Amino acid sequence: MASGSGEEKVASGSSGGEGKVASGSGVGKVASGSGEGKADPAGALYLQYASSYGTGVYDDRQWWPWLVPTLLGACVAVFAVEMYENDCPSHGSTLGGRATCVAGFLRRFSFQPLRENPLLGPSSATLEKMGALNWAKVAYQHQGWRLISCMWLHAGLIHLVINMLSLLFIGIRLEQQFGYVRIGIIYLLSGFGGSVLSALFLRNHNISVGASGALFGLLGSMLSEIFMNWTIYSNKAAAIITLLSIIVINLAIGILPHADNFAHIGGFVTGFLLGFVLLARPQFGWMERNELPETNQPPKYRRYQYVLWGAALLLLLVGYAVSLAMLFKGKNGNDGCHWCRYLNCLPTSRWKCT
């Protein structure tokens, strides 16, 4: 969530990539989970954050939001295709037995048995066939397109609803303030960045789907936008505290089993850097430059904004280059960072991490 976005990691069986979609509740990619972030707490906190500083103080323009509803419609349409392709009545349970499809009255669009996918969705085999993220197939079978296709897939109806509510909470307001071009770039590149980091740390037997990387990227850009435009907002402390609360809650949810927290982290870091690059606002007075004497006209941006812009762009390019080079060389992040697995799932006496 970025406010509840969620990618989930779907545990896939060793035979034919089929497996059980485990339930997960975190914000983010379904590694089998309910989705990116919990919609309720994050959504409420986001509304507090949004009202703490309002819209841009020095630019009264507001764009009509059409991109976010389009993204939502695309995800819903893709999920419908998933269920059509899955065709539970014809293929049955991938776990064997006579388990009955859920909501059988939907016929071809009915869901897999709950013991296989408690999120009300298709089988992991269908998800993998349609483009779920799989480390081995990206690294060794040259299927890099999965880094993008996995952003549009969802593990189940519950996962889809939570992610789409998160997208509406976050995306509409951002698009109104900054326009569809910048928000669209942040959404897509953050989703891609989340997929890259996720692929580097995915276990061989897991697949991952969901829009969490993109949603966490929008959250990250909101945070960096405050720092980038520090001088033009009031109530900075309230905005930062509320936004950090949302981020911490969602990342904490991501350490539950079956949530793909690496997609959350990768998307968040990418969006945070992109916020410095794309969301700078002109300083006070520049918008009224035609009304000021020529000698008093201020520059469009402050010096610190240029410094942050350059540093963020450099870090973003280096990060992409290094991560992609490691991925396509077949490196697995778990081999070089044995403790990193705890960022994705923290084992306790009540659950085990797969």
Side-chain angles (χ1 to χ4, degrees), residues 263-280:
H264 306 169
I265 295 171
F268 174 80
V269 172
T270 303
F272 182 73
L273 294 175
L274 284 170
F276 289 117
V277 176
L278 297 175
L279 302 185

Side-chain angles (χ1 to χ4, degrees), residues 259-304:
D260 188 358
N261 217 21
F262 289 116
H264 306 169
I265 295 171
F268 174 80
V269 172
T270 303
F272 182 73
L273 294 175
L274 284 170
F276 289 117
V277 176
L278 297 175
L279 302 185
R281 295 181 187 271
Q283 65 169 310
F284 178 75
W286 185 83
M287 299 296 292
E288 294 78 26
R289 62 193 181 280
N290 293 330
E291 302 174 7
L292 297 174
E294 186 173 348
T295 55
N296 294 333
Q297 291 183 3
K300 184 174 183 179
Y301 299 109
R302 294 177 180 269
R303 184 175 301 174
Y304 80 89

Side-chain angles (χ1 to χ4, degrees), residues 215-252:
L215 294 170
F216 264 93
L218 294 180
L219 267 183
S221 70
M222 290 165 63
L223 182 61
S224 58
E225 190 265 334
I226 296 176
F227 293 118
M228 190 63 164
N229 305 308
W230 185 257
T231 60
I232 69 174
Y233 287 127
S234 59
N235 299 324
K236 304 178 183 70
I240 291 176
I241 291 173
T242 305
L243 187 53
L244 285 176
S245 299
I246 298 171
I247 294 166
V248 170
I249 288 173
N250 282 283
L251 289 177

Side-chain angles (χ1 to χ4, degrees), residues 79-80 82-90 100-112 119-122 156-157:
F79 183 71
E82 288 178 41
M83 298 311 304
Y84 180 85
E85 182 68 25
N86 187 67
D87 192 7
C88 180
S90 297
T100 305
C101 299
V102 178
F105 63 90
L106 294 175
R107 298 177 182 261
R108 187 172 186 131
F109 293 92
S110 58
F111 310 113
Q112 290 296 115
L119 299 175
L120 301 179
L157 182 62

